[in-house]
Amino acid sequence: MTYTLYAAPGACSRVPMMALEEAGADFDVELVRFMRGAHRAPDFLALNPAGKVPVLVTPDGPLTENVAIATYLAGRHPGLLPDLSDPYEAARITANLAYVSSTLHPIVTRIRMPMFMADGDAAQGSVREKAMEMMRMHATTVDAALGAGPWWYGDDWSVQDAYVYWVWFRITGAGFPGEDYPAWAAHAARMEARASVQRALARDARLQAMLENEGLAVPMR
Ligand SMILES: N[C@@H](CCC(=O)N[C@@H](CS)C(=O)NCC(=O)O)C(=O)O
């Protein structure tokens, strides 16, 4: 195999999974069992001291962080991001990925995992509510970016589409009112009709089935 992706079902490791499927790359997936604390075990921390998926083991070495993994894969597999040769355009493309990684993703975490942020039902409810409010503001931005369609960068699909689709899946699965953002909803439907995305979703479903068999699953949606 060219690559090994360390992943957990429903997690943001689904983003490189979609990219690898889109590229037709040769890869296998190593399931990280969060419920067993596998992401805190020394062998995993040696790959990613932050204790998080995704990690992509590449022929050049291991890589962490979705922005870096997306940029690396795009360098090796043309068609995953727009042309990165112009420094300003490349920086704008990185900014869009980083917007999802460092602005949207932490809000997703507060919506889905408020127990990581506060103790007690009342405080956690408040964290979640505030995060939902914040996400509404950003959903307007994403909806506008996707308005012209069919993809974030117009006619060309990219990992940016995979990334915003993962956010959509996580927030709508947690009660975010997706119907208020019709361009984002239509984009999600287009993603789910794409063969590479379907293959990635099927891989994630197989990981979830493994966890279910082992009594270690948590709901993906
Ligand atoms: N900035 C990182 C975030 C990765 C991340 O937060 N991964 C989550 C899953 S979506 C994780 O592994 N969480 C486990 C934990 O933090 O304990 C990236 O973009 O790759």
Side-chain angles (χ1 to χ4, degrees):
M1 290 289 163
T2 308
Y3 302 106
T4 299
L5 177 66
Y6 285 75
C12 58
S13 44
R14 191 180 273 196
V15 178
M17 204 178 279
M18 287 185 263
L20 288 159
E21 286 288 0
E22 180 75 22
D26 182 33
F27 73 106
D28 58 15
V29 175
E30 195 66 45
L31 172 60
V32 179
R33 292 168 172 81
F34 284 158
M35 293 292 279
R36 281 215 182 116
H39 56 317
R40 300 287 180 265
D43 56 343
F44 187 78
L45 291 174
L47 287 172
N48 185 2
K52 291 179 187 291
V53 296
V55 175
L56 185 70
V57 178
T58 80
D60 298 307
L63 267 180
T64 62
E65 295 295 332
N66 267 299
V67 177
I69 294 170
T71 307
Y72 173 85
L73 286 176
R76 287 181 60 113
H77 302 277
L80 293 180
L81 284 174
D83 181 16
L84 298 172
S85 55
D86 176 77
Y88 181 68
E89 284 310 314
R92 279 164 44 94
I93 288 158
T94 304
N96 288 331
L97 290 169
Y99 171 63
V100 186
S101 170
S102 36
T103 299
L104 300 187
H105 189 160
I107 303 174
V108 173
T109 307
R110 281 156 181 77
I111 290 172
R112 295 208 54 117
M113 307 286 187
M115 66 292 263
F116 288 178
M117 309 295 161
D119 291 323
D121 289 348
Q124 289 170 14
S126 171
V127 165
R128 190 171 182 282
E129 273 316 301
K130 290 275 176 213
M132 282 285 201
E133 258 172 53
M134 269 181 233
M135 188 54 86
R136 275 189 163 280
M137 183 188 101
H138 292 291
T140 304
T141 304
V142 174
D143 202 61
L146 296 172
W151 308 115
W152 183 283
Y153 292 114
D155 288 338
D156 297 326
W157 189 93
S158 73
V159 191
Q160 184 72 17
D161 294 293
Y163 217 171
V164 293
Y165 170 65
W166 174 77
V167 170
W168 171 268
F169 150 77
R170 291 300 268 172
I171 61 177
T172 56
F176 187 79
E179 63 280 7
D180 292 350
Y181 305 93
W184 203 354
H187 176 267
R190 282 193 290 278
M191 286 292 289
E192 283 160 12
R194 196 170 178 91
S196 61
V197 173
Q198 289 175 357
R199 288 195 299 274
L201 297 183
R203 275 194 195 254
D204 233 19
R206 289 198 291 276
L207 298 183
Q208 181 71 349
M210 284 168 71
L211 292 183
E212 278 163 9
N213 284 338
E214 296 169 16
L216 296 172
V218 288
M220 281 205 291
R221 279 200 72 84

